[in-house]
Amino acid sequence: MTEYRLDEEFAQAIVQLPSEFMNMAEPPANDVHALREVINFQYTEMGKLAPPAPDGVNREDVSIPVGDGVTLEARWYTKWDARPGSAVVYAHGGGQVAGTLDHYDRRMRVYVTETSVPILSVGYRVAPEGKGQQLSEDVFAGVLWLNEHADRLGIDRARIAVMGDSGGGGLAAAAAVLGRDRGIPIAQQILIYAMLDDTVDTASEALAPFLAWTAPMNATSWNARSGGPVSETTSPARLIDARGLAAAYVEVGDLDLMRDESIAYAMKLSAADVPLELHVHPGTPHAYEWLDENAGVTQRSLENRYRVLRSL
């Protein structure tokens, strides 16, 4: 019987991680604050493994009003004076309960450096402070902000994409649905090991030893977000009619809890004639580019993402 195997470069990278990183106990079920502490600690430690942030990227801190007196923080990244006309709204990872704009600052700078495509990184309200569809609406508010300021920023409103990884990937998918339903053009949805299905609370025994993001952690996150009815704009896997959605780039590793839901969502898009590019990378766990940015599979994945961004 063929067994799962961790990519050798990732196996070597894991050995280099601090002992306190590797020996962290999994948070108790439904203790969302403990889970947030773990995630944010991991982001901080993995961020220390990354090369320095590239030069030549400007950052403008902006505020996005979303009603009820609430204003979101966001960051607008541009490469010097490059104005390709396209733009991206990015939703950071963190299981929809953690992660910050600071954690993703370097990553945004790398994307902009490599592609010249400007990015709006949105500080959406994470659960449990944010509930239900509110998180998706926060990310979509970034799309509306770019539309409102398109002339000043030199953006073609028909060339705005949504992108996110992990929890943010699910929110990017939901924002694409909101855009379709509200008549706001979305040029592309770029979904990186996206958190799409609120019903996933188990994993196979064979896959379990490799999971950086486990089924209990997933359940804790979805439970923290619960508030009001669950729909396709909170859990995109519940989408019934995918016709008319933006073209999709879907990427996931085969050692990821999100693997099956990513493939299922991609197949749903394909069946509705949504243009699709799907990658399932063998030997790769959740958030693998944070683990080893120089690994061969990471470099191939990043080049694919850069190519899609440049094509906007």
Side-chain angles (χ1 to χ4, degrees):
M1 177 181 174
T2 302
E3 297 179 346
Y4 291 120
R5 291 181 59 189
L6 184 65
D7 180 276
E8 182 59 34
E9 288 179 288
F10 291 125
Q12 294 176 10
I14 287 173
V15 175
Q16 305 302 317
L17 290 171
S19 59
E20 59 268 27
F21 185 99
M22 295 305 300
N23 297 326
M24 292 186 74
E26 184 165 322
N30 288 322
D31 188 340
V32 64
H33 296 291
L35 178 58
R36 178 180 294 173
E37 288 184 10
V38 167
I39 294 171
N40 286 340
F41 173 79
Q42 290 176 336
Y43 271 133
T44 299
E45 290 302 311
M46 290 189 293
K48 295 175 182 177
L49 303 176
D55 295 325
V57 175
N58 300 317
R59 190 187 92 188
E60 176 188 352
D61 295 342
V62 301
S63 298
I64 302 176
V66 291
D68 297 327
V70 175
T71 300
L72 304 178
E73 294 182 0
R75 295 175 178 178
W76 175 239
Y77 295 89
T78 55
K79 184 177 181 180
W80 292 103
D81 295 325
R83 287 198 171 191
S86 54
V88 174
V89 173
Y90 199 98
H92 65 73
Q96 301 179 2
V97 299
T100 67
L101 295 177
D102 283 341
H103 289 141
Y104 275 71
D105 185 77
R106 177 189 171 276
R107 193 153 301 281
M108 297 301 97
R109 293 176 185 275
V110 171
Y111 281 133
V112 173
T113 296
E114 295 291 338
T115 69
S116 296
V117 177
I119 294 178
L120 180 70
S121 182
V122 178
Y124 59 89
R125 288 167 284 183
V126 297
E129 292 81 3
K131 292 288 188 180
Q133 189 170 310
Q134 193 174 70
L135 284 73
S136 308
E137 294 284 1
D138 284 357
V139 174
F140 188 65
V143 177
L144 297 178
W145 188 88
L146 285 184
N147 273 270
E148 180 182 352
H149 296 272
D151 294 337
R152 174 177 71 86
L153 299 173
I155 295 171
D156 181 342
R157 292 177 177 84
R159 296 169 61 194
I160 297 173
V162 291
M163 180 177 183
D165 65 282
S166 191
L171 299 178
V177 177
L178 290 171
R180 178 199 64 178
D181 294 349
R182 298 175 184 178
I184 305 296
I186 302 291
Q188 182 94 29
Q189 50 181 320
I190 304 169
L191 313 180
I192 312 299
Y193 40 80
M195 185 175 165
L196 299 162
D197 191 348
D198 66 296
T199 68
V200 175
D201 57 7
T202 59
S204 72
E205 290 185 9
L207 190 61
F210 300 95
L211 296 180
W213 179 255
T214 68
M217 295 163 74
N218 201 51
T220 295
S221 291
W222 281 110
N223 290 339
R225 188 181 172 187
S226 63
V230 180
S231 70
E232 61 194 25
T233 49
T234 54
S235 177
R238 295 179 180 247
L239 182 69
I240 296 173
D241 183 3
R243 290 174 296 177
L245 284 176
Y249 172 93
V250 179
E251 176 193 315
V252 70
D254 77 333
L255 303 181
D256 195 325
L257 184 71
M258 312 308 188
R259 180 195 63 195
D260 292 352
E261 63 197 76
S262 294
I263 296 171
Y265 195 70
M267 294 302 97
K268 187 175 293 186
L269 297 176
S270 180
D273 294 318
V274 174
L276 170 71
E277 180 175 344
L278 170 64
H279 296 270
V280 182
H281 296 295
T284 56
H286 194 70
Y288 55 86
E289 73 267 35
W290 291 82
L291 186 61
D292 188 351
E293 193 161 313
N294 295 315
V297 65
T298 305
Q299 288 297 305
R300 293 191 295 273
S301 300
L302 291 175
E303 283 302 324
N304 281 329
R305 299 178 201 176
Y306 300 155
R307 170 178 51 79
V308 173
L309 289 170
R310 295 185 191 112
S311 73
L312 292 172

